[in-house]
Amino acid sequence: MSGRVLVGVKRVIDYAVKIRVKPDNTGVVTDGVKHSMNPFCEIAVEEAVKLKEKKLIKEVVAVSCGPQQSQETIRTALAMGADRGIHVDVSGKDYENLGPLQVSKILAALAKQEDAQLILLGKQAIDDDCNQTGQMTAALLDWPQGTFASEVSLEGDKINLVREIDGGLEHIKINTPAVITADLRLNTPRYATLPNIMKAKKKKIVTVKPADLGVDVTSRLEVLKVEEPPQRQAGMKVETVEDLVVKLKEAGRV
Amino acid sequence: MAIPLVRIFSKSFKQLSRPWGACQAGWRSTSSRSVPDVASHHPAEVVSSFPPLQTYTEEEGMMREAVKKYAQERIFPLVSQMDENSQMDKEVIKSLFEQGLMGIEIDPEYGGTGSSFFSSILVIEELAKVDPSVAVLCDIQNTLINTLFVKLGTPAQKEKYLNRLSTDMIGSFCLSEAESGSDAFALKTRAEKHKDYYVINGSKMWISNAEHAGVFLVMANVDLSAGYRGITCFIVDRDTEGLEIGKKENKLGLRASSTCPLNFDNVKVPEKNILGEIGHGYKYAIGMLNEGRIGIAAQMLGLAQGCFDHTVPYTRQRVQFGKRIFDFQGMQHQIAHVATQIEAARLLTYNAARLKEAGRTFIKEACMAKYFSAEVATLTTSKCIEWMGGVGFTKDYPIEKYYRDCKIGTIYEGTTNIQLSTMAKFIDKEYNV
């Protein structure tokens, strides 16, 4: 199988940052906060670049939907080895309401436009934890999907996949074109070396608007309120199992 | 005053803004696209005519992030052990090359990264936050060895060495001797001319990186009667007969960086291994050390910042007398004072680097940066141990290592007294109307 791989990369708040809810409870504080590429997207990029290095695919195209700053995330993907980038410009209110359904529509449109053989995504984003984009994209395109992938290998025009599921590991074989979402143990993403960062400067990023792809990004969801999780209460120590049962009954847990 | 400044900025930013595909020409667009240090994003960014010193191009910002991550994941776990054993881990050296950190300014044609001097400075600073020994290895390679080859090398010499310097070979700079440190030009290592080769005899001391270096840039005198005008720079390969690398020093700090004496016993060096011109070695040494100075300033700056970054979280957690020790006014004043000193050191260092990139005179400013950063590192590390209390005094915490590492900053690559005297000379000239 030769051809083009689309990799979706999302710009999210850095995993090490302590999240704070905005005082008006409409969302979390993002101004002045460090952002970086979603860790699962990094794994997806790494897998795509690996496939290219094995000469199993020809071109890796990094895609990100968001405001101007999303270009930095694309640039990081380029520094890791992607060939070019597509920035789908979504900003302001549209960006705040951007969710998996709209992104899936965008990715599906791009897959058709770019004649992609494979779409590689992270299994979920660490900000919304939706875990929906990969599945929705596959459904919109009517392509097979291999989600929570911990191993990917290409065999002719089919893909062998190992999925991490609750019961253990599932081995499946799917046709191409397909959508794959990366799980944690798929690989260890490489560092962008300094020479690659320099090379990334020369690679092209093209900006398009959702309307150009015929996608309407209006959201059918409205966020009513965002609040902090309840403060964690201190635990209690008990002496015997009988005490434990009494306490559990008191708390209405049993 | 504004116009010359614009022109200078456009000269230094031109090489950075040109490759951007969808970018307008000129430095303005670069500064409006650059990411400020505290990764904050201003959607409606005001284009400033005079961007703050902590303004980086996107490339510089990405490099800094990449090095930060790499240092934290690949170097940090080994720091304590490398210090204890006085031994740089081979994997660390290998990964430094793999990451492209050893050939930052070398042209990609020779396997280098092809980036700028300021990028080197940022890299050294980030490495020093984690381990100043690793930072000095990277600093010497980039600011002394590579620069000498790039500026003075013949095409044949560049062909032979630059590729290796950017991919797998470390270099050492050999100037100091047992009897000549600050008085560098009183060096006694001599090179006698024979037909088409020279024979070098003498010894060097305090040579960094010597344990692992594959090539040595040796300053030797071809004509001692001509004084310093006989000093010439020779390229000596490690495996040359007669070159003996002595046992490394058992040092207080920067222990993972090897510092060895060298002995030259009738070492034959072909004429084609002279770097630059005969008798011009003293000029090259001064010139390179002026630039290397900024690298050391960056190292001391990173050291201070790294130490500070380990200490403040502790002061915010440690509770005595019912409140965080950070909340005691005495502590707050001390912490704020040190933070100010670090910021000042940063601005001096960044400005010296930008001045050099802009092709303006920078020697006085480089001296100031190195002198000040070394002093700030000493102050910061000393205070940090105090703020940490008893634990700061133990090897279980990284603070005491920074304290030991910082002292060399006031000594090597030009002692503090030499820096001050050099600055005074410039000041004297400035008032010479």
Side-chain angles (χ1 to χ4, degrees), chain B residues 179-303:
Chain B
E179 304 297 311
S180 58
S182 292
D183 192 6
F185 297 159
L187 62 88
K188 293 271 177 303
T189 301
R190 60 200 181 284
E192 281 156 16
K193 188 168 185 349
H194 297 252
K195 282 190 289 192
D196 63 348
Y197 63 90
Y198 285 79
V199 174
I200 299 181
N201 274 294
S203 46
K204 295 287 181 188
M205 242 183 125
W206 312 118
I207 307 305
S208 297
N209 298 351
E211 190 182 13
H212 300 283
V215 68
F216 296 82
L217 290 178
V218 182
M219 296 300 190
N221 202 322
V222 298
D223 181 6
L224 281 161
S225 67
Y228 65 86
R229 289 183 197 279
I231 298 179
T232 306
C233 183
F234 292 90
I235 306 169
V236 181
D237 295 321
R238 187 191 186 90
D239 53 7
T240 312
E241 203 185 315
L243 168 61
E244 192 194 311
I245 299 159
K247 192 169 146 232
K248 69 182 163 204
E249 304 285 344
N250 188 5
K251 306 194 301 285
L252 167 69
L254 245 53
R255 288 172 58 81
S257 162
S258 59
T259 308
C260 310
L262 301 182
N263 211 39
F264 297 86
D265 190 6
N266 288 327
V267 174
K268 268 170 76 176
V269 179
E271 202 168 25
K272 64 176 169 65
N273 271 28
I274 293 181
L275 192 61
E277 288 175 55
I278 301 177
H280 283 226
Y282 73 97
K283 259 192 258 170
Y284 306 146
I286 303 181
M288 290 312 121
L289 288 172
N290 282 336
E291 298 180 14
R293 199 158 291 165
I294 307 176
I296 298 299
Q299 183 210 22
M300 288 292 127
L301 171 63
L303 191 162

Side-chain angles (χ1 to χ4, degrees), chain B residues 372-391:
Chain B
F372 193 73
S373 295
E375 297 290 315
V376 168
T378 313
L379 168 71
T380 306
T381 53
S382 184
K383 277 294 169 199
C384 282
I385 294 192
E386 287 175 24
W387 298 336
M388 297 281 285
V391 303

Side-chain angles (χ1 to χ4, degrees), chain B residues 282-347:
Chain B
Y282 73 97
K283 259 192 258 170
Y284 306 146
I286 303 181
M288 290 312 121
L289 288 172
N290 282 336
E291 298 180 14
R293 199 158 291 165
I294 307 176
I296 298 299
Q299 183 210 22
M300 288 292 127
L301 171 63
L303 191 162
Q305 187 68 59
C307 187
F308 193 73
D309 288 344
H310 272 114
T311 309
V312 172
Y314 180 83
T315 64
R316 295 177 74 241
Q317 274 175 359
R318 173 87 173 160
V319 172
Q320 290 285 273
F321 304 108
K323 57 182 186 182
R324 308 180 304 170
I325 60 176
F326 188 96
D327 292 324
F328 287 94
Q329 193 176 58
M331 288 291 287
Q332 292 190 332
H333 288 186
Q334 289 180 27
I335 291 171
H337 173 76
V338 168
T340 310
Q341 302 297 303
I342 297 178
E343 175 79 355
R346 175 164 290 121
L347 297 177

